[in-house]
Structure formats: C-alpha cells, structure tokens
Amino acid sequence: MPLFKTINFNSTTQILVWKVTESFTELFEQVVLNDSNRMRLDGMKSEMHRRAFLSVRKLLQETGHSDLDLYYDEFGKPHLHGEKHISITHSHNFSAIIISHETVGIDIELQRDKIIRIADKFCDSEFHFLSPSFGPEKKQDYIRKLTVIWGAKEAIFKIRNEKGISFKDHIVVEDFQINVKQMTAKLHFNNLVKDFNIYFEEIEDFTLVYAFEN
C-alpha cells in the first residue's frame, strides 16, 4: 500500500511509516539499491525481512532520498550522506524511518504477551511505577507500557550504538502515562550521562517510539 503515515514532528524532523502489503517483487521493481545493500538483501532468508528492507527504501524515496544516499558504519548504524541523521526500524508488516537534523533513534514493536515474561531482562527501576495486577484491561495496559519502555530503550541504543550498553542496567525510563505519549529517559554508561526526550504513539497493535538526545 502507499505510505501509511507521515509525522512532521518539527521543521527539521520527519517520521514516515509504511505498512507492507506488497509482494517482494512489487517492492523490488520500485526501488534502486546500491551494491552493498543488494548483497545484504540477497543474503536475507526471511521473505518478511526482505520486504521490510525494501519498504524502508520506499520510505527513503518518499523523502527525496534513495538507497544510494544511505550507508552503514562499522557498527551497523545507518547514515545519510550529508548532515541529516536517520534511524530505521521494522517489525512484522510495519517499517518506519526518522530523518532529522537532531540526533534521533526510532523503534516499532508489536504489542504481545511475551513481553511480560521478559520484562525483568530490560526493566529495573521502571518496576516502581509499573502495575502488573492482571485483570484483562490491566494486563493490556501493562503490555502497552512495557512495549513503550522496550521501544524507548531500543531507540536510545540505536542513537548511542555502543558495545556493552545494557537496557536494564544503563538506561532508565522515567514514569509516564500512556495517554500523554511522551516522557524522559537517561543513559548512564561508563563516564557518559545523557538525557533523552521520548515520544510514542500506537498504530494498530504496534507501538512506535522515537528518541531525541538532549
């Protein structure tokens, strides 16, 4: 399908979301790939990953860029030639990018029960404001909040992209309300202390989270 959603966050930041309904062939015929990314695509075994990879290139084209403008550094972090920052994410049938003059990261996650079982792998101080009491409605709220927290930490990790950063031990998300759709977070890693502003929204059964480094 065409572009699913565009968020013009401010004059220098744009978020674009694609819902992948096209076949691999349809997408492949509509994008141009540089040689290294063509090799990356050829090495992917999952049809879903291949389609997601191509849908990101469709999003780039929506912004007036192409895959030829995109490159990855030695740590696998994407960059655009020029001064703008970019971050990329995909999950199941959704993909998204954020392009900004600011330092940014983005993540999209499917809301699912599994996150309850692994919460203690990425949460610590956050348990002080989470309420895991489980009526059906409360359980869903718990899943929604955990998904925001995971997405926030993933987006921050994409910004810093440093080996050794622990979601549980080094990234702290402050208390927030789902209906407010924003909060703050902090990274403490080695001698580094960084603050982040986090924004999120829910798209169907997914949570889209994006982070700005202060």
Side-chain angles (χ1 to χ4, degrees):
M1 66 178 294
L3 179 66
F4 183 82
K5 185 167 191 172
T6 300
I7 303 166
N8 293 307
F9 183 81
N10 58 32
S11 61
T12 63
T13 303
Q14 190 175 50
I15 300 106
L16 296 94
V17 182
W18 194 277
K19 186 174 183 180
V20 184
T21 58
E22 304 87 348
S23 69
F24 171 82
T25 302
E26 286 178 290
L27 288 167
F28 185 74
E29 290 174 348
Q30 296 174 36
V31 302
V32 175
L33 296 177
N34 65 39
D35 291 341
S36 62
N37 285 335
R38 176 65 183 268
M39 291 176 64
R40 289 183 66 191
L41 178 67
D42 290 343
M44 293 178 184
K45 295 180 181 178
S46 164
E47 180 77 6
M48 182 178 291
H49 287 164
R50 286 158 64 85
R51 291 163 65 207
F53 183 87
L54 292 173
S55 70
V56 167
R57 276 68 200 166
K58 288 289 292 179
L59 289 172
L60 276 173
Q61 290 176 186
E62 292 285 340
T63 68
H65 297 87
S66 78
D67 188 63
L68 303 179
D69 300 316
L70 185 70
Y71 69 96
Y72 294 82
D73 63 23
E74 59 186 307
F75 304 108
K77 184 175 181 177
H79 299 269
L80 285 174
H81 291 292
E83 297 183 2
K84 287 185 178 180
H85 297 274
I86 184 171
S87 186
I88 293 169
T89 185
H90 53 78
S91 178
H92 298 268
N93 59 327
F94 276 99
S95 60
I97 64 173
I98 185 169
I99 295 177
S100 179
H101 289 296
E102 301 178 61
T103 306
V104 290
I106 195 169
D107 190 55
I108 191 166
E109 298 288 341
L110 177 64
Q111 299 169 3
R112 47 187 175 174
D113 288 2
K114 175 185 175 183
I115 201 166
I116 296 173
R117 300 196 302 273
I118 64 170
D120 62 349
K121 305 293 186 186
F122 65 90
C123 288
D124 187 13
S125 62
E126 293 84 8
F127 284 122
H128 294 308
F129 64 79
L130 290 169
S131 176
S133 47
F134 288 161
E137 187 175 334
K138 294 248 181 180
K139 179 181 178 182
Q140 189 56 37
D141 286 345
Y142 188 49
I143 290 169
R144 291 166 70 197
K145 275 203 161 186
L146 284 173
T147 308
V148 172
I149 292 167
W150 174 269
K153 295 190 178 193
E154 184 70 45
I156 289 169
F157 181 78
K158 287 181 178 181
I159 291 174
R160 300 307 310 181
N161 206 39
E162 295 180 47
K163 186 177 180 181
I165 292 176
S166 162
F167 283 17
K168 180 175 181 176
D169 299 330
H170 300 135
I171 305 174
V172 175
V173 173
E174 303 298 337
D175 192 4
F176 66 96
Q177 300 299 320
I178 283 287
N179 61 330
V180 176
K181 301 190 183 305
Q182 68 180 79
M183 72 280 204
T184 58
K186 190 179 291 286
L187 170 70
H188 293 263
F189 181 61
N190 293 334
N191 296 321
L192 179 72
V193 179
K194 286 284 185 180
D195 294 309
F196 299 85
N197 290 323
I198 311 293
Y199 301 86
F200 64 91
E201 63 179 270
E202 294 171 311
I203 299 172
E204 296 184 0
D205 294 325
F206 291 76
T207 301
L208 178 72
V209 188
Y210 38 103
F212 294 81
E213 181 178 302
N214 288 338

